Amino acid sequence: GIAHEMNTPLGASLATLKLVKDLVREYRASIGDHGITEKDHHAIATDMDKFVGATQQWLEKAAAHIRSLKLHTRDLQQEQTKLFSVVQIIEDTSLLLSHRLRLAQCTLSVTCTAANPTLYGDPSKLGQVMTNLIGNAIDAYSETGNSEGEIRVSVTDKDEILSIRVQDFGSGIAPDHLEKIFDDFFSTKPFGEGTGLGLSITRDIITN
């Protein structure tokens, strides 16, 4: 999934760079050609600017994928304590899971009551928490047999307390499973499809 997400912006960048190369060739050929007007040169420059801007946007998207990948593959035993943007972590997680979201035909919406809330701590650990919770939300739709659905992430800031909520409208949790969801290796998924550690790790990260 990550490879697919990287190939899209990189492939688009190569395509637009080829167009820029063609324009450079056209511009060079026009030098000294009295049939080419200043208006023609302006048109070539405008197209160059447009394609360079498009290439930059695609490469920034690829860079964002790499950033999200680095965030989630960092050794979680090594503390990386710093001030970080909560919304940025959620957006990076969304990028990392974009392939799964698209396959499941799920949409992810993010709402935030604060301008740019920040936390002091290890951003990679919050990234892992969000990955586990959003991943579970995707699975909750798959279990209903109707994968298409909405996942809502809301961030609220009240009285110096930041609350992050992940909400889905999928299969839900059976009442007799509620007391077990944080137990190590407890999983309702078929054998081989779940480790039963996602929520256990999430709880440990938050409580520790």
Side-chain angles (χ1 to χ4, degrees):
I2 292 166
H4 177 80
E5 292 303 319
M6 288 297 297
N7 277 333
T8 300
L10 291 178
S13 298
L14 288 171
T16 51
L17 282 175
K18 183 182 182 301
L19 293 172
V20 172
K21 190 175 181 179
D22 291 341
L23 287 168
V24 169
R25 189 181 299 114
E26 181 182 345
Y27 188 84
R28 280 179 175 163
S30 72
I31 296 173
D33 186 338
H34 298 296
I36 303 297
T37 66
E38 185 177 347
K39 184 179 179 181
D40 293 329
H41 280 160
H42 278 298
I44 293 173
T46 299
D47 285 343
M48 282 183 178
D49 189 50
K50 180 177 70 176
F51 291 133
V52 167
T55 304
Q56 185 176 3
Q57 288 181 349
W58 282 116
L59 290 177
E60 285 172 353
K61 188 172 183 179
H65 281 299
I66 292 171
R67 186 177 66 245
S68 68
L69 187 59
K70 285 172 66 179
L71 170 73
H72 289 81
T73 54
R74 186 180 296 141
D75 184 357
L76 291 174
Q77 299 304 315
Q78 296 179 0
E79 290 288 341
Q80 301 285 332
T81 306
K82 61 180 181 180
L83 196 67
F84 63 89
S85 165
V86 173
V87 174
Q88 183 67 62
I89 297 301
I90 296 171
E91 289 177 351
D92 286 348
T93 302
S94 174
L95 271 175
L96 190 72
L97 295 173
S98 56
H99 190 65
R100 282 191 62 192
L101 285 164
R102 189 157 55 250
L103 286 177
Q105 295 181 299
C106 288
T107 58
L108 179 68
S109 63
V110 181
T111 58
C112 185
T113 59
N116 183 27
T118 56
L119 288 176
Y120 188 80
D122 189 339
S124 66
K125 289 185 177 178
L126 180 60
Q128 187 174 16
V129 166
M130 297 309 300
T131 300
N132 289 342
L133 294 179
I134 295 171
N136 278 358
I138 294 171
D139 292 337
Y141 282 112
S142 300
E143 289 171 10
T144 62
N146 179 20
S147 59
E148 184 175 350
E150 181 188 8
I151 298 168
R152 299 176 183 174
V153 180
S154 59
V155 182
T156 55
D157 185 12
K158 186 178 181 182
D159 300 328
E160 296 298 310
I161 295 176
L162 203 65
S163 299
I164 304 172
R165 178 188 297 251
V166 179
Q167 184 180 20
D168 65 72
F169 306 91
S171 58
I173 302 171
D176 56 332
H177 290 160
L178 285 173
E179 293 183 1
K180 305 175 185 177
I181 60 173
F182 294 117
D183 292 352
D184 290 348
F185 306 111
F186 173 76
S187 177
T188 58
K189 296 170 185 173
F191 181 75
E193 291 188 18
T195 63
L197 291 173
L199 286 180
S200 174
I201 291 171
T202 296
R203 177 205 57 192
D204 289 346
I205 289 173
I206 296 299
T207 57
N208 291 333

